[in-house]
Amino acid sequence: MRTYEQDARMPEPPWPFTGRDDELERVRTASAAGRHGIVVTGPAGHGKTRLISEALRGTDHVRVTGTPEARDLPFAAFAHVLPDTVSLHRAVRILSGVRLLVVDDAHLLDESSAALVHQLAVHGRTRLVVAAVDGVPAPGAVSRLWTGELLPRLALEPLPREDIAELLAAAGLEPLTVRRLHRMCGGDLRLLRDLVAALGTAGRLTAVPGTRERAWRGALPITAAVRERLAPVLERSAPGERDTLERLAFAEPLPMSPDDLDLAVLERLETDGLIHVDDGGTAVTLAHPLHGAALRATTGTLRARRLAGAPRDHRPALEAERRRLAGRIEQLDVRTTPAPVGESLVARGTQVPAGYAAVRARFARLRGEVRDAAAWAREGLRDAPQDSDCLAELRAAQGEPGAAGDDDVYARHDAVRLGEPERAVGRLPAGSVLARHGEALARGDGAGLDQVAEVLAERGFLLFAAEAYAQAVGVHREPRAQRVSRTRAVALARRCQGARTPALAGLALGELTARQRQIVTLAAAGLSNREIAEKLTLSVRTVGNHLYGAYSRLGTGDRAALPWLCESA
């Protein structure tokens, strides 16, 4: 039972454009002839400029950019395309001859340039593609582009974790490093690229034995981009604020004790979004993971030693996490469970006990996070190279059936996953979802397998659920039911870090084109072919052809099944 395949390659700079197919198509469509354009907004570093560049690659256009240094100079952004002295009216006339105008960092435009962009949008003869950062002051003429509905707005969401994981895995980074980078960067791709480059330059990426991957452990490199993100913390000057933030960096979470912390200081920091207080109001942490790592890396040696105090004994907290995860495994329920202590220790380069790592590996493997499982097993082997549990979990993550032990309930369930339910009869907990899986497969009950798969997915067993749906495909007699089960199997399997098992072997399907993804998404939202055609300025026949091609690639002809695919197609 092969669990995952590995192919780590360093992407050539610039990084590959990843995970924005639908947004790419929207910008292309909005900037095509006959359209007025589009405004792309989002937080700094989320890829607005890269998206626009990719969408307009090969097109004839003029680009202008707002800069903070020139906000007081009239028409500063347009200096390279306008005469030195020009009125707004004449500027509009000159630029009306430009077919496509790209305005980057529009929130930094001077008032004259902002008014010019607004007037071009009003007159409608120049197609505009405008990028602006959310959450920062912008000239009124810029914000009215979308609030006044002159141009449609595309609010860019952070790149999903799965896409970032795929990008970083292609760069040869192991899963625990990928998770750490994603958590620190919070979707900021510019910061992500900066950190990866800094880690490579500083030699902080170490080879993971037995793999082609590299890992980052230890301190955060302090780059210019990190200092920029750290500015809201470093600039705190009110009494007690910086001290409180540094204490949290070295000892979070801290209990909400009036004797140890100034509540007035905490209130100010919470109002400004720099700290987080838990729901019970009993503990406080830094709001952004980057801030703690950056503060620890920028604090002087003597002060850091004082703030850190005596070495903390993490064993009780680790044991509590281990028991909590082991209990969920025994309860046949592996839904997401926070376990931050182990992650924090691994990030700092501290070895975690093999017993803890083995449970983390098993929990991840049962969730279908097979690459994460292998990474945790290897962490445990750093502490104890011959630990039998970690070795077994590593083999299981790499696809050896029964590797976790012949007397284990999940190992007995492997027979069901391999399509041999008779070997598990009477050996799985009566009435459990695992036993129901075996029983449904043994009697060739497609509907029963679908129901079991739904429960498995609810409990976090995404890979098991994908396999159950895939098995249902083989026993359903009605074509529509086969298509629905196949669609759901594919959607779940794509969330399992490249898992490859016998039950999933027949599900390899072609990827959708950008246009197919766009149309499938709209169809899944309930739009008819005619409504999709009107929205995208296509013929109804073209929409139908794209849907037919998508159905063929996705193994479904059922429109009602499309929402399952839109999460991961």
Side-chain angles (χ1 to χ4, degrees), residues 323-505:
R323 287 199 303 268
R324 184 163 62 250
L325 294 172
R328 297 295 294 272
I329 292 171
E330 291 175 3
Q331 296 161 13
L332 308 185
D333 189 338
V334 293
R335 280 172 277 201
T336 301
T337 302
V341 178
E343 292 175 6
S344 175
L345 291 177
V346 167
R348 297 179 191 182
T350 303
Q351 290 186 359
V352 295
Y356 173 88
V359 172
R360 286 297 298 259
R362 166 169 275 206
F363 195 84
R365 175 172 59 85
L366 293 174
R367 286 178 50 79
E369 297 165 349
V370 290
R371 292 184 184 273
D372 287 18
W376 276 109
R378 292 190 183 98
E379 283 297 318
L381 293 173
R382 290 178 59 210
D383 175 61
Q386 300 304 317
D387 182 79
S388 58
D389 289 336
C390 286
L391 287 170
E393 286 302 325
L394 182 58
R395 291 195 301 269
Q398 292 172 340
E400 295 184 25
D406 292 337
D407 62 343
D408 180 85
V409 62
Y410 292 102
R412 295 194 290 273
H413 179 248
D414 278 348
V416 181
R417 299 172 62 202
L418 289 168
E420 302 171 354
E422 63 280 356
R423 289 174 44 202
V425 172
R427 303 182 64 211
L428 295 170
S432 70
V433 66
L434 301 186
R436 289 165 53 198
H437 185 184
E439 292 161 3
L441 183 60
R443 64 175 182 266
D445 181 357
L449 285 168
D450 286 340
Q451 293 170 1
V452 164
E454 184 175 354
V455 176
L456 286 168
E458 288 175 356
R459 295 191 176 198
F461 297 104
L462 298 190
L463 182 56
F464 293 176
E467 292 172 328
Y469 277 126
Q471 290 167 336
V473 175
V475 298
H476 276 306
R477 295 293 177 263
E478 201 272 312
R480 181 182 180 278
Q482 290 178 336
R483 290 193 297 268
V484 171
S485 296
R486 183 184 182 89
T487 296
R488 295 177 178 179
V490 171
L492 289 171
R494 285 175 174 164
R495 296 165 60 186
C496 293
Q497 299 185 340
R500 298 289 185 270
T501 69
L504 303 179

Side-chain angles (χ1 to χ4, degrees), residues 151-481:
L151 296 175
R153 179 187 185 187
L154 170 59
L156 208 59
E157 298 292 333
L159 195 65
R161 185 173 67 85
E162 291 77 12
D163 289 324
I164 289 180
E166 181 180 342
L167 186 65
L168 294 179
L173 302 183
E174 58 90 38
L176 302 187
T177 296
V178 170
R179 282 184 177 272
R180 185 183 181 191
L181 284 167
H182 177 264
R183 190 166 56 250
M184 283 190 174
C185 296
D188 188 332
L189 298 178
R190 187 165 52 198
L191 177 60
L192 182 69
R193 289 192 296 269
D194 183 70
L195 281 178
V196 172
L199 290 170
T201 301
R204 298 192 188 182
L205 294 174
T206 59
V208 179
T211 75
R212 298 169 58 194
E213 298 174 334
R214 296 173 300 160
W216 167 38
R217 303 290 185 262
L220 176 77
I222 302 301
T223 67
V226 170
R227 289 190 181 279
E228 179 184 342
R229 304 312 189 278
L230 195 58
V233 173
L234 298 178
E235 292 170 0
R236 304 302 296 199
S237 58
E241 291 185 345
R242 177 70 181 272
D243 181 68
T244 299
L245 292 169
E246 288 183 341
R247 288 180 61 194
L248 284 169
F250 283 90
E252 62 179 334
L254 286 177
M256 285 281 292
S257 171
D259 297 330
D260 296 328
L261 296 172
D262 187 323
L263 295 183
V265 170
L266 293 180
E267 287 177 3
R268 292 197 299 270
L269 295 175
E270 183 182 30
T271 299
D272 292 340
L274 295 178
I275 65 170
H276 171 73
V277 179
D278 66 7
D279 292 339
T282 60
V284 59
T285 60
L286 291 168
H288 199 300
L290 178 68
H291 289 167
L295 284 170
R296 289 192 297 271
T298 55
T299 301
T301 302
L302 295 179
R303 181 167 175 77
R305 186 177 300 170
R306 179 174 65 81
L307 289 170
R312 298 177 65 185
D313 186 357
H314 294 283
R315 288 174 296 180
L318 278 177
E319 178 58 21
E321 286 187 355
R322 189 199 67 78
R323 287 199 303 268
R324 184 163 62 250
L325 294 172
R328 297 295 294 272
I329 292 171
E330 291 175 3
Q331 296 161 13
L332 308 185
D333 189 338
V334 293
R335 280 172 277 201
T336 301
T337 302
V341 178
E343 292 175 6
S344 175
L345 291 177
V346 167
R348 297 179 191 182
T350 303
Q351 290 186 359
V352 295
Y356 173 88
V359 172
R360 286 297 298 259
R362 166 169 275 206
F363 195 84
R365 175 172 59 85
L366 293 174
R367 286 178 50 79
E369 297 165 349
V370 290
R371 292 184 184 273
D372 287 18
W376 276 109
R378 292 190 183 98
E379 283 297 318
L381 293 173
R382 290 178 59 210
D383 175 61
Q386 300 304 317
D387 182 79
S388 58
D389 289 336
C390 286
L391 287 170
E393 286 302 325
L394 182 58
R395 291 195 301 269
Q398 292 172 340
E400 295 184 25
D406 292 337
D407 62 343
D408 180 85
V409 62
Y410 292 102
R412 295 194 290 273
H413 179 248
D414 278 348
V416 181
R417 299 172 62 202
L418 289 168
E420 302 171 354
E422 63 280 356
R423 289 174 44 202
V425 172
R427 303 182 64 211
L428 295 170
S432 70
V433 66
L434 301 186
R436 289 165 53 198
H437 185 184
E439 292 161 3
L441 183 60
R443 64 175 182 266
D445 181 357
L449 285 168
D450 286 340
Q451 293 170 1
V452 164
E454 184 175 354
V455 176
L456 286 168
E458 288 175 356
R459 295 191 176 198
F461 297 104
L462 298 190
L463 182 56
F464 293 176
E467 292 172 328
Y469 277 126
Q471 290 167 336
V473 175
V475 298
H476 276 306
R477 295 293 177 263
E478 201 272 312
R480 181 182 180 278

Side-chain angles (χ1 to χ4, degrees), residues 20-41:
R20 298 282 194 197
D21 289 348
D22 294 339
E23 295 90 339
L24 192 71
E25 190 65 21
R26 279 196 62 183
V27 175
R28 284 174 176 164
T29 301
S31 59
R35 300 299 181 94
H36 295 304
I38 194 169
V39 178
V40 182
T41 66

